[in-house]
Amino acid sequence: MSWACPAPVQSWLFPLPVRVCAAGARPPVLGRVPEGRGRCRPCLGQGSEAKAGRTDLIFLIRFRHCCLLRNQRCILAYLYDRLLRIRALRWEYGSVLPNTIQFHMSAEEVEWFSRYKKSLATYMRSVGGEEGLDLTQDIKPPKSLYIEVRCLRDYGEFEIDDGTTVLLKKNSQHFLPRWKCEQLIRQGVLEHILS
Amino acid sequence: MQGTKLEIPLWLAKGLHDSKRRIISVELPKIYKEAWRTVFSADATVVDLHKLGPYYYGFGSQLLNFDNPENPEIAQTLLQTFISRFRHIMDSSQNAYNEDTSVLVARLDELERALFQAGQKGLNDFQCWEKGQASQITASSLVQNYGKRKFPEMDG
């Protein structure tokens, strides 16, 4: 399944059906709905009439209730799918998402992402001894400490652990430590070459 | 209006169905009826399930929600059809490497297609491992799909 970039969220769409659902989810016969939920007045009217004994309206109430529940299900399915893709981004891409992606995420999703990152970081620190264990590294079994990489686009200076810097220019090839390059390869800056 | 026949979506029928109140009664689509059930029991492997309704198994399972005297037979048919077709799907998905599989999946319903894809993925992963590519780090699918859209502001 390819992880498409989440489409822009039309956040003004969501408050409407969800608010209606919250009101409509109460058993209609109670008929007690806060005044502000104007959209549910038809439900409210029918609810109290049903209470008054007009059982032929039960069908209509039930029908409307079904429709609301379905809308709610569809919306939740969509939002949940987006959330799963955003979560996958943390593992596949890294902890900093490109601006073009962030632009398409709603404020709640951005917050969810940062809380997920924090949660993951806390967990990784608690596992594997003192310094913790970076679980997002070595997703594919490593064969050697150093790997051959080719640069796919101009990136600039890159510092390695022993202090030396490498200039990453397009099409230049380097022999670098695996753990430093992994994230850059995943982000598409470098390309892993197998000999 | 009492006695009217309508076509409504499944979710609506499920919501309105109530064995106590009898608001609606459900009529089975023809592929779940007696006539087609005998076709399935004769030879299920040649049936074009994609044309008959791409969600044969899923929809059939949902139909069992409505009180219908034929439910046990429907359930049995669904199961037997699946059993007889499964072997063929598994075989073909595990042996079609780097080929055009459109003929193989043309007559499968959606559930079967998902199974086929799972089989193909397993096959491809295995072949990748055999070629020694399993340790190659690849760009994330996000980058692969959106490589055309440059990320100029991405400073890492």
Side-chain angles (χ1 to χ4, degrees), chain A residues 32-101:
Chain A
R32 265 189 316 121
V33 167
E35 202 31 59
R37 317 267 170 121
R39 248 164 255 98
C40 216
R41 225 163 258 138
C43 279
L44 176 54
Q46 279 158 6
S48 41
E49 280 189 50
K51 212 166 78 162
R54 288 195 51 190
T55 50
D56 49 324
L57 283 178
I58 298 264
F59 169 73
L60 206 58
I61 297 172
R62 215 160 160 154
F63 174 80
R64 184 175 265 128
H65 191 61
C66 274
C67 296
L68 292 178
L69 284 181
R70 170 162 163 97
N71 286 343
Q72 189 182 42
R73 263 202 322 271
C74 291
I75 292 174
L76 285 178
Y78 173 67
L79 291 177
Y80 185 63
D81 191 63
R82 283 176 69 99
L83 225 52
L84 290 181
R85 288 168 193 239
I86 292 171
R87 185 179 71 177
L89 282 177
R90 170 66 186 91
W91 289 89
E92 268 188 57
Y93 193 82
S95 56
V96 180
L97 297 179
N99 284 336
T100 41
I101 302 291

Side-chain angles (χ1 to χ4, degrees), chain A residues 101-116:
Chain A
I101 302 291
Q102 292 220 321
F103 175 71
H104 290 314
M105 284 165 55
S106 73
E108 291 86 1
E109 286 170 341
V110 172
E111 203 204 310
W112 185 87
F113 184 74
S114 72
R115 277 191 281 152
Y116 182 76

Side-chain angles (χ1 to χ4, degrees), chain B residues 76-96:
Chain B
Q76 194 59 18
T77 310
L78 287 176
L79 186 60
Q80 290 306 318
T81 311
F82 182 73
I83 291 173
S84 48
R85 288 166 69 99
F86 176 68
R87 177 65 192 280
H88 182 67
I89 298 168
M90 194 173 97
D91 269 341
S92 60
S93 73
Q94 291 290 296
N95 290 303

